[in-house]
Amino acid sequence: MPELAVPFEEIPHTADWAIRAYGRTLPELFAHAALGMYSLLTDLETVPEAERREALVEAASPEGLLVAWLNELVYLTEREGLAFKRFEILELHLPDPRDPESIGRLRAAAYGGRPESVRKYIKAVTYHNVAIRQEDGLYVVELVFDV
């Protein structure tokens, strides 16, 4: 498996925030995308791992699963005032691309707590140009966050 230099990086975007996330596997990509999102929101060094929340989402594409899961985390942040810094993908079933009726499923756990401060709130994860692709043996995705 190729060496992973960075799990994510912030990339320029005209109006909102954006990141590029990397993973050697799809579960790792999903976890790194969430880590990247929260690294924009707050200083993760100040976030305790005092709380655990589970999320379960379904979607008709891998990109849909990723966006739905990140938006579920945004909802938990808004509702409970929590930020998350560690993520565990417990179940990831991709939809069958040959079956238009097929639905994928993601169940994941997020660990975190109340951040000391928030740089800017993320309103939503957008579908703008979201495409999971493979480059040099890694999964890569670019995500734009509406702030």
Side-chain angles (χ1 to χ4, degrees), residues 53-126:
R53 297 291 182 274
E54 271 198 33
L56 175 64
V57 296
E58 294 180 334
S61 70
E63 290 83 0
L65 284 172
L66 177 60
V67 171
W69 180 55
L70 295 176
N71 277 323
E72 181 68 17
L73 292 174
V74 167
Y75 170 73
L76 288 171
T77 296
E78 284 180 21
R79 189 180 78 197
E80 299 183 32
L82 301 174
F84 301 100
K85 64 190 273 182
R86 187 166 62 87
F87 307 92
E88 209 179 337
I89 307 305
L90 304 169
E91 175 186 342
L92 177 59
H93 295 290
L94 298 178
D96 183 347
R98 298 164 297 181
D99 178 2
E101 305 281 323
S102 178
I103 297 295
R105 177 182 173 110
L106 169 75
R107 187 169 64 90
Y111 301 85
R114 298 208 181 283
E116 287 182 9
S117 65
V118 174
R119 292 183 187 112
K120 208 185 275 191
Y121 285 97
I122 293 172
K123 292 188 264 182
V125 182
T126 73

